Amino acid sequence: MRLKVTLEYDGTGFRGWAAQPGLRTVEGTLRAALDKVFSSWSDLTVAGRTDAGVHALGQVASLEAAGGPPSERAAEALNAELPGDVAATAVERVASDFDARRSARARSYRYRIYRRRSPSPFEARRSWWYPRPLDEERLVDSAEAVLGEHDFRAFTPAETRHRVFVRTVESAVWHRRDDALELEITADSFLRHMVRTLVGTMIERSPDELAALLAGRDRADAGSTAPPWGLYLVAVRY
């Protein structure tokens, strides 16, 4: 049967999604759980390959599986084998042509900046502590500048496997939530480090300077890449 697995995880203890020999990764951890729950499985794909330290509230994976529990009990069975920093929140049986990456129509991310003057141990690996002054109105204007279709090559590493750098951003909004500022951004897809570099550039550059980068400028022209622990993959739309 073809399965769609929705996952959430705290990325602090993982070296990203993709399996790597000798390193603890989300994919490697999920593979080990799948080996215990199903007699056979194959074709594991994922909606977004998160980097080391990045979290997920709605990551999606797909696979073919056989010889295990029915889909309505598969999440419970997987969670019995998964460690405490990753969980399957839902498992659904889907059409045979469903692919977690290729079938996705949009992805939503959140970037969280913690603004309290003193740090919090509870926020240390779940947000970017930034107590220095920020012009929130300028951030709002910068978020509006990225809406629509643009060439985002300035916001991904210069050495990249990407060949197409044009992406369409359908929404980008900063929210003030208690002691935090959070960027909620949705696009058809994202380049590696794109959200984090957008955040760093929004903080360091004016909205006009950021807008000028959206015409395919070099990575060296953009701002810093914000740290990974403030980033969350929130949802994937199909």
Side-chain angles (χ1 to χ4, degrees):
M1 57 184 173
R2 189 76 173 168
L3 296 178
K4 172 188 176 187
V5 182
T6 304
L7 300 162
E8 63 181 27
Y9 47 85
D10 178 344
T12 303
F14 295 103
R15 293 297 296 271
W17 166 268
Q20 302 175 64
L23 298 177
R24 187 173 187 258
T25 67
V26 182
E27 182 184 11
T29 300
L30 178 60
R31 284 177 173 273
L34 291 169
D35 286 341
K36 294 180 180 179
V37 171
F38 298 102
S39 60
S40 66
W41 62 270
S42 62
D43 196 25
L44 178 64
T45 59
V46 68
R49 290 190 168 197
T50 50
D51 290 329
V54 175
H55 315 295
L57 302 174
Q59 176 71 281
V60 177
S62 59
L63 67 145
E64 290 285 338
S71 57
E72 60 268 23
R73 291 173 46 205
E76 181 181 0
L78 283 170
N79 288 329
E81 304 297 339
L82 289 168
D85 50 0
V86 57
T89 60
V91 177
E92 308 166 54
R93 191 166 184 172
V94 290
S96 60
D97 61 348
F98 177 83
D99 183 283
R101 183 174 66 86
R102 295 181 181 88
S103 301
R105 294 293 173 262
R107 296 158 177 84
S108 297
Y109 281 87
R110 174 184 303 147
Y111 196 91
R112 179 175 172 84
I113 299 176
Y114 192 57
R115 299 288 296 135
R116 198 174 73 180
R117 293 188 64 182
S118 58
S120 167
F122 300 105
E123 294 280 348
R125 293 297 175 184
R126 291 177 175 84
S127 63
W128 180 18
W129 180 50
Y130 195 95
R132 298 186 290 281
L134 278 177
D135 185 335
E136 295 186 23
E137 290 186 5
R138 195 174 80 166
L139 292 178
V140 170
D141 292 340
S142 292
E144 291 179 354
V146 306
L147 295 175
E149 184 179 274
H150 303 285
D151 186 327
F152 287 93
R153 114 184 33 229
F155 301 93
T156 195
E159 294 185 9
T160 177
R161 295 181 180 179
H162 292 295
R163 295 183 179 181
V164 178
F165 299 91
V166 174
R167 298 293 187 270
T168 302
V169 175
E170 64 179 60
S171 66
V173 181
W174 283 97
H175 299 274
R176 163 67 78 167
R177 291 168 176 152
D178 297 325
D179 288 325
L181 275 175
E182 296 182 347
L183 175 66
E184 304 272 3
I185 184 168
T186 298
D188 53 352
S189 65
F190 289 85
L191 303 168
R192 186 165 183 248
H193 294 179
M194 177 174 155
V195 177
R196 292 164 52 199
T197 309
L198 281 170
V199 170
T201 305
M202 287 180 185
I203 288 175
E204 297 174 2
R205 308 289 172 80
S206 72
D208 289 342
E209 290 173 315
L210 184 144
L213 297 168
L214 297 171
R217 297 276 290 276
D218 292 337
R219 172 64 186 91
D221 296 331
S224 303
T225 300
W229 46 84
L231 184 61
Y232 299 73
L233 173 56
V234 174
V236 184
R237 189 173 75 233
Y238 293 94

